[in-house]
Amino acid sequence: MRDLTACPECDLLLNSTHVTATKGGATCPRCAAELFRRHPDSLERSLALTCAALVLLFLANSFPIVGLNIQGHQVETTLFGTARQLWRDDMPIVAVLLLATTVVIPLVEMLAMAWILFPLRFQRRPPGFALLIRALQLAHPWAMVEVFILGVLVSLVKLSHLADVLPGPAIWCFGALMLVLAALSTVLDHRTLWQSWERAA
Amino acid sequence: MKLQTATQHDLALCEVCGQLGKLANNAQCIRCATRLHHRKPHSIQYTWALLIAAYVLYVPANLLPIMETRSLFGVQRDTILSGVAFLWNSGSWILALIVFIASVAVPMLKLLSMTLLVVSVQIKNTMAPLPRARLYRLLELIGRWSMLDVYVVAILVALVQAQSLATMAPGPGVLAFGAVVVLSMLATMAFDPRLIWDTANQTEINGEVSTHANQSTAA
Ligand SMILES: [Zn+2]
Ligand SMILES: [Zn+2]
């Protein structure tokens, strides 16, 4: 029973010893679903990337994303400013959707990661571990920083027909945040987290 | 080697920690105490409900304006498609293509593909489980990119405000469009990809018996 596992996508019963693991991890021999990933120093790297993401998230929300220069008249907007304008235009649901997918969910995700990874790094079991893992699984598809970057680029092009556009510092912070989050999702593996949790006291 | 599935042995993976566990009434995971389910509960019903809601909202999402521009020359109302046309006509073909794929092609293909997957599971189709599984994986990956237009509207509206030239305001279409994206993502999450394989697995396990039966009926 200990050596048995199943493919999460096609239900194939697998013997862990038969699963041919390559250096990076293992996939299901029948449907090629990812079974697990292996990364050296997974916990340390995840922790470092989580801290970097928290700093970048803070910076990305403190600076303007885009500015406009219309006949000498300057306007610029931050992410919160964007959400505030949607709220004023009677679109509170869209404002909430915007803030949730670009700020709130990534922030909650990173805080939960830090809460989990710090104790695990020192062989301690974080309180509420299973609950937080479940929350992370549910929240993950809703963090859409990379889509937001593309949205900013498209609006830059659209606005360039109206006026001079000035890309704000927050664009670079969001760009870096996107890369850090992508790196984090390749380094982090839930099987590794559970194994460290089992080892910890 | 004979095919062995978790279902055959009354086993199921824990949704939270991935530990294999024995199924029984109210069975819990031995590692994290989560309730074990054979498949996502009510997967087909939830997927259908969310899909139908998404189809219904798909109509206003494409017909209603997502943005209204007021200028000296009057009011201009933009739908998703006219936004793509604007980019195309202004010479930004690559962006026009990206926005077309993200806002027009992906939402529609996603709804149709999910419908295909659910129907194929319901009629217990055993054909091509691997391509269907791959299609599901693709849908999980690309659905989020449809949020693109919501972000574009949000940024434009925030910047082009109280100017002498023009003001932009979000139109009701953007709400419907955001809802379509969210609902179709929820539909994808409610669907259990193992359902695609269940009938095929069953047929393969009973393989010899059923081919024999088929031959005798044919004769
Ligand atoms: Zn598989
Ligand atoms: Zn578990």
Side-chain angles (χ1 to χ4, degrees):
Chain A
M1 185 74 184
R2 273 265 138 193
D3 299 331
L4 278 181
T5 184
C7 171
E9 287 191 29
C10 76
D11 212 36
L12 186 68
L13 206 57
L14 296 158
N15 196 322
S16 308
T17 46
H18 286 174
V19 171
T20 43
T22 55
K23 207 167 63 192
T27 51
C28 169
R30 180 163 68 158
C31 75
E34 187 182 78
L35 298 174
F36 60 85
R37 226 174 300 147
R38 236 195 323 238
H39 218 281
D41 310 321
S42 174
L43 287 189
E44 277 90 351
R45 288 183 196 197
S46 302
L47 191 53
L49 288 167
T50 303
C51 296
L54 279 170
V55 173
L56 284 170
L57 197 58
F58 175 75
L59 292 177
N61 286 294
S62 357
F63 293 108
I65 315 166
V66 224
L68 265 192
N69 188 346
I70 304 177
Q71 296 167 342
H73 186 90
Q74 285 238 15
V75 269
E76 51 185 23
T77 185
T78 59
L79 189 60
F80 285 110
T82 310
R84 199 191 313 130
Q85 189 57 48
L86 280 174
W87 189 283
R88 278 186 197 147
D89 283 328
D90 285 330
M91 287 281 167
I93 299 175
V94 184
V96 168
L97 192 63
L98 172 76
L99 276 189
T101 50
T102 54
V103 186
V104 179
I105 290 172
L107 179 67
V108 170
E109 236 189 321
M110 289 308 113
L111 290 175
M113 291 284 301
W115 177 270
I116 285 175
L117 288 168
F118 254 114
L120 278 186
R121 167 78 185 69
F122 299 103
Q123 281 83 44
R124 296 256 159 73
R125 285 188 174 186
F129 183 68
L131 197 72
L132 283 172
I133 292 281
R134 183 89 187 117
L136 280 173
Q137 282 173 352
L138 290 175
H140 191 67
W142 302 101
M144 305 191 189
V145 173
E146 74 278 24
V147 186
F148 181 69
I149 302 265
L150 189 62
V152 173
L153 293 181
V154 172
S155 14
L156 281 180
V157 173
K158 285 201 167 183
L159 288 167
S160 66
H161 298 282
L162 272 177
D164 295 333
V165 285
L166 319 154
I171 287 194
W172 309 112
C173 301
F174 269 115
L177 179 64
M178 175 182 80
L179 295 178
V180 168
L181 290 180
L184 183 59
S185 67
T186 58
V187 167
L188 187 78
D189 177 47
H190 279 226
R191 199 182 77 135
T192 316
L193 287 182
W194 279 103
Q195 283 172 344
S196 339
W197 181 80
E198 277 185 326
R199 274 198 304 272
Chain B
M1 199 182 79
K2 211 161 179 231
L3 177 79
Q4 297 276 321
T5 63
T7 308
Q8 267 179 294
H9 299 270
D10 276 327
L11 297 170
L13 282 183
C14 168
E15 293 149 49
V16 177
C17 73
Q19 168 76 44
L20 201 63
K22 193 90 186 154
L23 277 171
N25 262 351
N26 298 323
Q28 287 187 332
C29 171
I30 50 165
R31 177 153 66 177
C32 71
T34 308
R35 267 279 292 280
L36 287 180
H37 299 288
H38 176 239
R39 294 291 173 260
K40 289 179 190 171
H42 313 292
S43 173
I44 301 274
Q45 287 96 314
Y46 285 158
T47 311
W48 264 127
L50 293 160
L51 265 183
I52 291 168
Y55 271 120
V56 170
L57 284 166
Y58 187 78
V59 181
N62 282 280
L63 293 182
L64 294 178
I66 55 167
M67 201 161 55
E68 291 175 5
T69 313
R70 282 165 207 283
S71 65
L72 297 172
F73 316 107
V75 184
Q76 188 199 337
R77 293 190 172 83
D78 274 313
T79 60
I80 300 240
L81 271 174
S82 73
V84 176
F86 171 81
L87 280 173
W88 183 267
N89 292 331
S90 62
S92 321
W93 298 304
I94 297 173
L95 274 185
L97 197 65
I98 291 174
V99 176
F100 179 80
I101 292 173
S103 313
V104 183
V106 167
M108 191 156 74
L109 288 176
K110 191 171 172 182
L111 289 180
L112 293 177
S113 311
M114 273 315 293
T115 312
L116 182 88
L117 287 179
V118 186
V119 170
S120 80
V121 164
Q122 278 189 307
I123 62 170
K124 301 199 180 303
N125 190 316
T126 55
M127 261 166 38
L130 188 56
R132 279 188 283 151
R134 289 213 178 109
L135 176 64
Y136 178 75
R137 253 173 251 164
L138 182 72
L139 295 182
E140 268 187 318
L141 214 65
I142 59 173
R144 51 204 284 106
W145 289 95
S146 303
M147 204 63 102
L148 181 66
D149 250 335
V150 176
Y151 295 144
V152 173
V153 169
I155 294 164
L156 292 185
V157 160
L159 276 174
V160 191
Q161 280 297 326
Q163 298 318 248
S164 47
L165 281 176
T167 51
M168 287 180 176
V174 77
L175 187 60
F177 188 76
V180 170
V181 179
V182 170
L183 286 168
S184 61
M185 279 179 72
L186 287 172
T188 318
M189 289 173 203
F191 185 74
D192 193 326
R194 287 171 297 187
L195 294 172
I196 297 173
W197 294 89
D198 278 345
T199 327
N201 285 347
Q202 202 53 51
T203 326
E204 200 172 327
I205 290 161
N206 309 330
E208 288 188 347
V209 184
S210 60
T211 35
H212 187 76
N214 281 341
Q215 275 162 2
S216 51
T217 45

